[in-house]
Amino acid sequence: MPKRSAVPAEADVEEPHPAGEASTASGMYVRQAAQMVGVSPSMIRGWEDEGLISPNRKPSGYRLYTMSDVHRLRRIRALREQGLNGAGIRRVLEAEAPHDLRPAPALDHDGLGTRLKNLRSARGASLREVSQKTGLSPSYLSSVERSLASPSIASLQKIAAALGTNLPNLLGDDHDQAREVVRRRERPRLRYPERGVRIERLSVNETMLEPLLFIVKPGAGSQEPYEHDGEEFIFVQSGSFTITLDGTDTHHLETGDCITFRSRRPHTWSNPGTVDTQLIWVNTPPTF
């Protein structure tokens, strides 16, 4: 009878939750690496299946990612966003191989990390306390504060809620003078760090409605589910859009389609198409 391998099959391995044991002295687990890169763990596993990344493994079978791996993953993501397939990405990475050992560059994001740390300190909250409220690991939150991690829109919303603020304040966006008319060329833009998502304000009045214009690149999205108080309405102006509520209720929307839902339903969304998706997104009360 053949001996069973000492390393469990992938389906047998359940990696630790990021709010618990998220990393070791030898590296970090896939969930934390995914948070730092701004993609899902399943996407990273897919890149491994394509032979684009080969992390070390513990005897238990858990993947362990180093900061060099994170640097490579960020490069893979950037090349994927440029439209390269697996073979094209491998060719680029092979050509860049002599430079693979360079440390991952800091992600400034207009001083987001510094503002986040200052706001947390002003609230008298520890990294662990914010971690307990958001489900994000203390080490990941520390990486965001040090501008080493690229937070998803879901992570930013959770952090903002945990610190008693909203995304505009967290992102350091200026408050425009209230006015009734917003011209096309005068729309204030949120300085959101996630590549592939652009958010513009359609109103600068103090109202209970928050209309926004979202422009989402192919493959971009929230990366993970989030929830908050209120209600939401989305109208797809162009392109295609996929949104999943409660982790199971998935809706595929095309140009002209709409959806309305309560914001307390955990929701995750993305652009599954090959062209930009443009959305009119209305929140009440204001969330972004």
Side-chain angles (χ1 to χ4, degrees):
M1 183 176 180
K3 291 184 178 180
R4 183 182 177 90
S5 172
V7 178
E10 181 61 30
D12 298 330
V13 178
E14 178 62 30
E15 300 188 11
H17 189 276
E21 184 187 1
S23 60
T24 73
S26 303
M28 66 194 78
Y29 294 113
V30 66
R31 286 190 180 94
Q32 185 186 2
Q35 288 177 335
M36 295 185 72
V37 178
V39 298
S40 65
S42 60
M43 184 170 291
I44 291 180
R45 294 187 182 105
W47 292 343
E48 183 180 351
D49 291 340
E50 293 182 70
L52 302 178
I53 186 76
S54 181
N56 294 325
R57 287 180 181 258
K58 297 178 67 175
S60 60
Y62 295 146
R63 297 173 174 83
L64 287 177
Y65 296 83
T66 65
M67 284 306 299
S68 293
D69 290 329
V70 170
H71 174 54
R72 184 179 178 89
L73 288 168
R74 287 175 180 159
R75 184 65 176 136
I76 293 170
R77 173 184 168 177
L79 293 171
R80 184 72 77 183
E81 290 175 348
Q82 294 174 21
L84 273 67
N85 59 19
I89 293 173
R90 275 193 296 274
R91 286 194 294 270
V92 172
L93 293 177
E94 289 170 2
E96 296 176 344
H99 306 286
D100 280 350
L101 298 180
R102 292 176 299 174
L107 306 173
D108 188 359
H109 296 332
D110 293 321
L112 171 62
T114 300
R115 286 196 306 278
L116 174 57
K117 184 176 182 178
N118 291 341
L119 181 59
R120 178 177 60 78
S121 298
R123 297 287 194 272
S126 67
L127 286 171
R128 187 162 296 279
E129 288 171 336
V130 177
S131 171
Q132 291 172 347
K133 292 180 179 179
T134 61
L136 305 170
S137 71
S139 56
Y140 170 68
L141 293 168
S142 176
S143 296
V144 173
E145 290 186 356
R146 290 179 291 135
S147 298
L148 296 175
S150 179
S152 67
I153 193 168
S155 295
L156 283 175
Q157 197 281 330
K158 292 173 184 176
I159 294 170
L163 295 177
T165 186
N166 55 31
L167 282 185
N169 289 332
L170 193 65
L171 296 174
D173 291 285
D174 298 328
H175 294 279
D176 286 67
Q177 183 177 0
R179 58 186 185 276
E180 293 180 345
V181 176
V182 178
R183 304 294 180 187
R184 178 176 181 178
R185 296 181 180 179
E186 299 174 349
R187 292 196 289 248
R189 182 183 300 184
L190 291 184
R191 293 196 293 254
Y192 174 55
E194 174 71 12
R195 286 177 298 177
V197 179
R198 192 172 87 206
I199 306 175
E200 298 180 3
R201 293 178 179 274
L202 300 180
S203 171
V204 292
N205 272 336
E206 295 292 333
T207 66
M208 290 301 294
L209 290 176
E210 183 186 48
L212 303 164
L213 174 67
F214 274 61
I215 300 175
V216 186
K217 294 288 185 182
S222 64
Q223 304 297 341
E224 58 190 273
Y226 61 101
E227 60 181 279
H228 49 90
D229 291 331
E231 298 177 330
E232 304 185 41
F233 167 82
I234 302 171
F235 170 71
V236 183
Q237 277 194 316
S238 62
S240 57
F241 184 68
T242 295
I243 184 167
T244 299
L245 306 175
D246 303 319
T248 57
D249 192 5
T250 298
H251 302 277
H252 302 287
L253 308 180
E254 301 294 338
T255 300
D257 293 341
C258 309
I259 185 171
T260 306
F261 59 95
R262 294 189 178 277
S263 307
R264 273 299 168 194
R265 300 180 69 182
H267 44 288
T268 182
W269 49 268
S270 66
N271 172 4
T274 58
V275 298
D276 289 1
T277 292
Q278 189 161 300
L279 311 164
I280 300 297
W281 198 316
V282 181
N283 291 280
T284 182
T287 301
F288 292 93

